Amino acid sequence: MTIKRWVRWVLGAALVGAGVVAWLSPNYEEAQAATDRQTVDCMVKQLTQDDKRSIAQFADTNDFNALWHAYDRVFADCTVRGDQRDRKSELVTSAWRVLSTDREFMHLREADAAHAALGH
C-alpha cells in the first residue's frame, strides 16, 4: 500500500469517525455544518499544486468546468455523508471560497494574470 493510499484511508477514517460523532449529536444542523466544514477543508487540502495552478488559470475567466474537474477528483475522498453528494455544488463553492483566500493561491492567480497580460 503506497503512502498516498494509506494517507487517504487514514483521512477517510478520521472524517467518517468525525461524521458519525457529529451525526449522533443532539443538534443535527450543527453537526451537518461541522461535517460540511471538514469536507470543504479536506477538498482544499487534497488539491495538488497542479490542480491549484489549473484553477488559478481559469478563475478569472469563470471557467467553472475547470473548477469542477479539479474538485471532482477529490470530492469522493472527502465526503463524509451521503447527503453531501446532493449538495456537491454548495460544497465545491465553499471550497472555492476557502481556496480563493489562500495566500499561495492568490500568488498563483496574480502570476497567471501577469503572464496573460504579457500576451503569453
Side-chain angles (χ1 to χ4, degrees):
M1 186 179 283
T2 65
I3 292 173
K4 210 174 201 183
R5 183 176 237 165
W6 184 80
V7 169
R8 283 186 181 160
W9 275 101
V10 169
L11 183 60
L15 285 172
V16 168
V20 169
V21 168
W23 181 69
L24 293 174
S25 73
N27 188 345
Y28 178 75
E29 289 176 9
E30 214 173 278
Q32 181 178 359
T35 55
D36 285 354
R37 280 190 299 277
Q38 290 172 342
T39 298
V40 167
D41 289 343
C42 174
M43 287 171 32
V44 172
K45 290 176 184 171
Q46 290 287 323
L47 292 174
T48 65
Q49 192 66 20
D50 287 338
D51 291 333
K52 291 177 183 179
R53 197 173 292 115
S54 175
I55 292 171
Q57 182 180 6
F58 297 108
D60 293 325
T61 60
N62 293 325
D63 184 352
F64 293 108
N65 288 333
L67 179 72
W68 277 88
H69 180 69
Y71 282 110
D72 274 346
R73 191 179 55 72
V74 299
F75 184 76
D77 292 338
C78 294
T79 54
V80 177
R81 294 185 332 267
D83 69 311
Q84 287 179 319
R85 287 185 200 96
D86 298 333
R87 295 179 295 104
K88 180 179 178 181
S89 61
E90 295 169 32
L91 295 169
V92 169
T93 301
S94 293
W96 160 244
R97 281 190 210 121
V98 171
L99 179 64
S100 66
T101 62
D102 178 73
R103 176 169 275 158
E104 179 185 336
F105 181 74
M106 285 191 270
H107 290 303
L108 285 173
R109 284 185 75 180
E110 290 168 2
D112 187 67
H115 188 62
L118 293 174
H120 296 252

